[in-house]
């Protein structure tokens, strides 16, 4: 579970690619080796007000587990190698360049010279070594620690000289560059004492004075008013510049206004009190879209993101007695294929998402431009084809239209769904109606989300479940826990001692191979095969990938939202107000 | 009496409407008209675009070629609905395909709001009625016993009623729903809701009835009846029951809307009757999505219906209370 939630923030990408950034040549040892970024040249000044669903719980990158905290923290921190959310590829950040040994086990990273923390203290290799030591410290239980393990063993980070770092991997890891994304480099001069005292996990809480918090990101903390807002001010020491060598960021202030409900966020956007909404639901998009021509904001539908919604059946062993009788159906791949054929995905998109979604037949969405297998078949919904398949599998329809298995047991099951998610509940009602047409009775059980997870991952007391996963990353590796048969989030049958089926064993092998294969084309073939097996055996029946919809003031320059999180603020240092007057 | 007649007729009319749902509702409440989600209420015309008056109301609809035609409403016609429930049955009104008549519009899945409102009323109002019958029945029996027998029986019943009144019934229902299997059929879910609401609600009417019984027991004419050899059963039947009856009637008019609201609350939070069976509560669940409801006002129809029914019940309770006071004064 933690792996996929983490993935939301810790997105990264393996494939090395042409890098769309340039680095200024350093003239002197202490002169800033700035990173030059492409984009419109903007004007400095102004405040951007962004909606936050909740206030952060901490400003400490090591302790932050929740998205509101990370949203704020990542405007104040920076990493060595970063995944460009627009190109989905790795690019230099605090590391201006790097080399990799032929066996892929050893990295040497050259750090950017002349960089200073927001408090003015110089940045060097000691900060990097300190940061990785802290993240890998088992006492701190940092969420990032899992990401820094390869084959269960931690990576080793050593200082070569003041501006050079060596990184040794315990085993081959195809997506090695991506390990560095979202690992914030911490100021040793401020945090080393607390680390030694064993209190680093408690540092930089909400009550910490802003002057005590330092980072290498585009902004620094200026003020936090509980329940109201978090105000960040421009970091004058930031290390990125525009094409005209103007220091970034352009904005003087970035404010996160705490507005818990999406209804209220939309109202405040329309009233001009908010400048950016990082996610707009399809229902709200319909409303905002209607007024768009006359309104000062622009609504952007980015198409499918990396989120996918799917139905899956309980294939655990053992299961509670009530489920046991149905497992012969759930374990039969023809049954799962028939269910997939009977579901009208076009209706799911039209009714549950107002048309702002994409029907999917494979678990890697079209939003993942680098990895989606486009050869996966997309059979249209067909009740008759579904019934033909069920007949092959020994099911029969009675005189009253009810479907029964070979033993004469009527086919009926429940679908578990999180009560608070309107789109998922609508989807469940549509699926219920589609399956009624082939004689299957479905009951919808809407429970609290934590109860849903508990039944799926712990008690295994459910028949089928409608759920969504959010890939925070285009790369396949962060989903290892979902696809490996011994993974804790191998949803339909987690933590298997040995693979229950041949195809799960094959997926295990392929996923492990892709993780260690350094050749990009070979790796692609391996993951294509994983996608093909998953689409054929349907342990998860993929249904819909909802579109990523965002909104912002029309006069916001360089607003280039992306389908990787953070959708709107990933290039916050480049955002600027086109209007000359005042804030906007 | 006149004060009571109006609201009582209103309540009876509402129940008659929901009982006659299979006839009055033009569609099966579960049929999804997937090409018509969130359709606004269909406009019914009597004057066409050329200004001609039609003897029979009609709706406009496009045929396959995209041309618009007038389709007259058909009364007492057989349904063209192809669902299992609606197939071939006779309905109060309807319209020939490809036209559709959604008097209260459709919901997010294209289901006819009027049909869902009527069928949903059977669930919501039915639960209110049945749970009241259960609570009041138990309350009457236990209240009469406690009041009439007195002593330790009275003390035991009152202690039990204290416990039941202190029970947080909503949490009790939540716990019950969690304990029920996930694939519980709508009928079983309905029965469990009725039983829990009914059982949890007996205490209040029981205390009231006990109070009335105690008060009647102390009156001279009851003492005289007992002294002249009337059996306790006869005293109960002839002297106590009439007094209790008016209290029970007033209590019923208060409890029914309360228990209806209880069912609506449960379904509103998704723990009542499951999809696709409609209930006013599950229909009102969509109102949690404010933007949606603001843009599609007809989704608030069940809330309007609930307000109307509650007002009718309050007027009935008020009239009953006045009547019972008037009877008391005249005695």
């Amino acid at each position: 579970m933690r792996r996929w939630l983490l993935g939301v923030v810790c997105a990264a990408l393996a494939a090395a690619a042409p890098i769309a950034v340039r680095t200024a040549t350093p003239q002197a040892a202490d002169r800033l080796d700035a990173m030059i970024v492409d984009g419109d040249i903007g004007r400095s000044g102004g405040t951007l007000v962004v909606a936050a669903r909740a206030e952060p719980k901490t400003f400490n990158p090591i302790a932050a587990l929740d998205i509101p905290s990370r949203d704020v923290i990542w405007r104040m921190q920076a990493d060595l190698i970063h995944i460009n959310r627009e190109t989905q590829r790795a690019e230099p950040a605090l590391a201006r360049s790097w080399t990799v040994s032929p066996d892929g086990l050893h990295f040497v990273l050259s750090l950017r010279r002349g960089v200073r923390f927001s408090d003015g203290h110089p940045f060097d290799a000691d900060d990097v070594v300190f940061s990785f030591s802290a993240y890998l410290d088992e006492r701190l239980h940092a969420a990032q620690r899992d990401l820094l393990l390869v084959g269960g063993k931690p990576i080793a980070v050593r200082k070569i000289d003041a501006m050079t770092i060596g990184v040794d991997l315990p085993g081959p890891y195809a997506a090695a560059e991506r390990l560095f994304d979202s690992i914030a480099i911490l100021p040793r001069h401020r945090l080393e004492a607390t680390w030694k005292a064993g209190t680093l996990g408690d540092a930089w809480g909400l009550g910490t004075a802003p002057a005590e918090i330092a980072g290498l990101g585009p902004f620094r903390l200026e003020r936090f008013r509980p329940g109201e807002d978090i105000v960040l001010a421009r970091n004058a020491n930031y290390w990125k510049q525009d094409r005209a060598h103007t220091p970034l960021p352009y904005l003087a202030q970035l404010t996160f206004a705490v507005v818990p409900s999406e209804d209220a966020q939309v109202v405040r956007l329309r009233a001009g009190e908010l400048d950016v909404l990082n996610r707009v639901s399809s229902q709200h998009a319909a409303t905002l879209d209607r007024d768009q021509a006359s309104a000062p904001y622009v609504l952007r539908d980015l198409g499918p993101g990396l989120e996918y919604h799917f139905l899956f059946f309980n294939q655990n062993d053992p299961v509670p007695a009530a489920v046991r009788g149905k497992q012969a159906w759930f374990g039969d791949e023809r049954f799962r294929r028939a269910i997939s054929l009977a579901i009208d995905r076009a209706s799911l998109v039209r009714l549950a998402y107002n048309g702002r979604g994409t029907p999917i037949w494979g678990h890697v969405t079209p939003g993942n431009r680098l990895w989606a297998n486009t050869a996966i078949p997309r059979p249209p919904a067909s009740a008759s084809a579904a019934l033909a398949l069920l007949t092959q599998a020994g099911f029969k329809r009675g005189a009253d239209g009810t479907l029964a298995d070979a033993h004469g047991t009527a086919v009926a099951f429940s679908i578990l769904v999180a009560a608070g998610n309107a789109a998922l509940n609508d989807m469940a009602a549509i699926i219920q109606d589609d399956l009624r047409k082939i004689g299957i009775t479905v009951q919808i059980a809407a429970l609290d989300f934590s109860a849903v997870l508990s039944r799926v991952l712990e008690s295994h007391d459910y028949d089928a479940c409608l759920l969504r996963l959010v890939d925070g990353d285009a790369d396949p590796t962060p989903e290892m826990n979902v696809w490996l048969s011994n993974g804790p989030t191998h949803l339909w049958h987690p933590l298997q001692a040995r693979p229950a089926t041949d195809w799960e064993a094959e997926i295990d092998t392929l996923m492990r191979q892709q993780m260690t294969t350094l050749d990009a084309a070979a790796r692609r073939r391996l993951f294509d095969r994983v996608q093909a097996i998953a689409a054929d055996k349907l342990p998860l029946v993929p249904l819909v990938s909802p579109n990523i919809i965002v909104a912002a003031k029309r006069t916001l320059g360089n607003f280039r939202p992306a389908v990787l999180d953070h959708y709107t603020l990933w290039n916050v240092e480049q955002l600027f107000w086109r209007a000359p007057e005042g804030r906007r | 009496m006149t004060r009571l007649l109006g609201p009582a007729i209103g309540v009876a009319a509402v129940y008659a409407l929901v009982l006659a749902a299979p006839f009055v509702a033009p569609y099966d409440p579960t049929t999804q008209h997937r090409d018509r989600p969130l359709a606004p209420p269909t406009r019914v015309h009597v004057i066409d675009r050329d200004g001609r008056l039609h003897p029979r109301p009609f709706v406009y609809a496009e045929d396959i070629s995209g041309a618009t035609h007038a389709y007259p409403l058909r009364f007492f016609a057989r349904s063209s609905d192809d669902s299992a429930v609606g197939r071939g049955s006779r309905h109060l009104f309807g319209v020939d395909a490809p036209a559709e008549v959604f008097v209260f519009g459709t919901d997010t899945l294209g289901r006819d709001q009027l049909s869902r409102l009527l069928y949903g009323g059977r669930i919501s109002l039915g639960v209110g009625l049945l749970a009241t019958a259960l609570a009041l029945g138990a309350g009457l029996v236990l209240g009469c016993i406690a009041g009439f027998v007195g002593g330790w029986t009275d003390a035991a019943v009152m202690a039990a009623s204290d416990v039941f009144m202190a029970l947080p019934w909503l949490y009790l229902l939540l716990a019950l729903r969690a304990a029920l299997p996930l694939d519980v059929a709508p009928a079983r879910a309905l029965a469990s809701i009725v039983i829990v609401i009914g059982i949890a609600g007996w205490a209040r009417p029981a205390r009231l009835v006990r109070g009335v019984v105690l008060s009647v027991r102390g009156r001279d004419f009851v003492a005289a009846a007992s002294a002249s050899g009337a059996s306790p059963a006869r005293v109960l039947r002839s002297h106590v029951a009439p007094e209790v009856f008016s209290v029970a009637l007033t209590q019923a008019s208060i409890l029914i809307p309360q228990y209806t609201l209880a069912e609506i609350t449960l379904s509103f939070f998704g723990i009542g009757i499951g999809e696709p069976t409609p209930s006013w509560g599950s229909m009102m669940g969509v109102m949690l999505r404010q933007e949606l409801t603001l843009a599609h006002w007809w989704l608030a129809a069940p809330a309007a219906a609930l307000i109307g029914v509650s007002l009718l019940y309050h007027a009935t309770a008020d009239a009953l209370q006045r009547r019972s006071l008037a009877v008391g004064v005249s005695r």
Side-chain angles (χ1 to χ4, degrees), chain B:
Chain B
M1 188 64 196
T2 339
R3 258 179 208 283
L4 180 61
L5 198 61
I9 289 175
V11 169
V14 169
Y15 277 90
L17 260 180
V18 299
L19 277 174
F23 171 64
V24 182
Y27 297 103
D28 177 340
T30 65
T31 299
Q32 299 175 357
H33 303 264
R34 293 190 179 178
D35 51 345
R36 300 297 308 280
L38 295 169
T42 309
R43 289 188 68 177
V44 178
H45 306 263
V46 284
I47 297 171
D48 67 19
R49 287 166 187 168
D50 302 325
R52 280 178 305 181
L53 183 73
H54 286 234
R56 190 188 282 185
F58 66 94
V59 298
Y60 281 116
E62 288 181 358
D63 63 16
I64 304 168
S65 67
T68 303
H69 297 286
Y71 293 84
L73 291 189
R74 297 193 176 280
F75 295 96
F76 306 104
R78 289 206 181 274
S79 167
S80 59
D81 194 337
D82 63 353
S83 69
V85 176
R87 193 180 300 137
S89 55
R90 222 173 256 285
H91 292 272
L92 178 62
F93 67 97
V95 66
D96 287 341
E100 284 155 331
V101 55
F102 304 122
V103 177
F104 288 170
T106 65
D107 69 5
T108 52
L109 301 181
R111 298 177 294 198
D112 179 41
Q113 281 269 106
L114 172 64
S115 304
R116 288 183 74 73
L117 195 67
L118 292 167
Y119 277 94
R122 294 176 124 195
I123 300 286
S124 299
L125 299 175
V127 165
L129 207 61
L130 292 174
T132 303
L134 192 64
L136 211 54
L140 272 173
V141 172
L142 291 168
C144 281
I145 291 172
F148 207 77
V149 177
W152 68 266
T153 312
D154 183 22
V157 172
M158 286 306 101
S161 77
D162 283 342
V163 171
F164 271 82
M165 282 174 78
L167 279 180
W169 65 267
L170 186 63
Y171 295 103
L172 199 72
L173 281 164
L174 285 170
L176 179 84
R177 183 66 191 88
L180 283 175
L182 295 179
D183 57 354
V184 60
R188 215 170 133 204
L190 183 75
S192 61
I193 291 173
V194 166
I195 290 169
V196 173
I197 297 177
I199 288 176
W202 68 269
R204 200 176 157 75
R207 290 181 85 94
L208 277 170
V209 168
R210 170 188 172 268
V212 172
V213 172
L214 282 177
S215 131
V216 173
R217 258 182 73 192
R219 294 208 189 146
D220 292 346
F221 64 92
V222 177
S226 297
S228 60
S231 68
R234 185 182 161 83
V235 171
L236 253 178
R237 197 172 56 243
S238 310
H239 302 290
V240 180
E243 296 284 335
V244 167
F245 180 72
S246 69
V247 173
L249 214 56
T250 314
Q251 270 296 295
S253 62
I254 293 168
L255 291 180
I256 293 172
Q258 223 174 65
Y259 292 164
T260 300
L261 195 62
E263 188 284 324
I264 287 173
T265 308
L266 288 175
S267 298
F268 182 78
F269 289 114
I271 48 173
I273 307 295
E275 287 277 6
T277 312
S279 120
W280 288 1
S282 60
M283 291 176 76
M284 279 160 68
V286 80
M287 291 174 75
L288 286 171
R289 293 141 84 174
Q290 291 171 23
E291 278 288 322
L292 191 70
T293 317
L294 286 174
H296 309 94
W297 54 267
W298 56 93
L299 294 176
L306 174 65
I307 292 170
V309 169
S310 297
L311 286 175
L312 282 173
Y313 266 112
H314 283 304
T316 310
D318 191 40
L320 280 170
Q321 248 165 357
R322 283 169 190 271
R323 192 159 161 258
S324 102
L325 277 175
V327 170
V329 168
S330 68
R331 272 193 188 158

Side-chain angles (χ1 to χ4, degrees), chain A residues 215-235:
Chain A
L216 293 161
F219 292 90
R220 60 179 172 77
L221 182 64
E222 181 162 286
R223 187 185 68 209
F224 167 55
R225 288 189 297 196
E228 281 187 55
D229 58 18
I230 304 100
V231 178
L232 307 186
R234 180 175 185 277
N235 172 12

Side-chain angles (χ1 to χ4, degrees), chain A residues 10-14 83 147 173 175-181 473 475 477-478:
Chain A
C10 303
L13 189 79
I83 301 308
L147 301 173
Y173 189 78
E177 291 100 334
R178 56 182 296 280
L179 286 174
F180 301 98
D181 181 85
D473 186 2
D475 193 86
T477 305

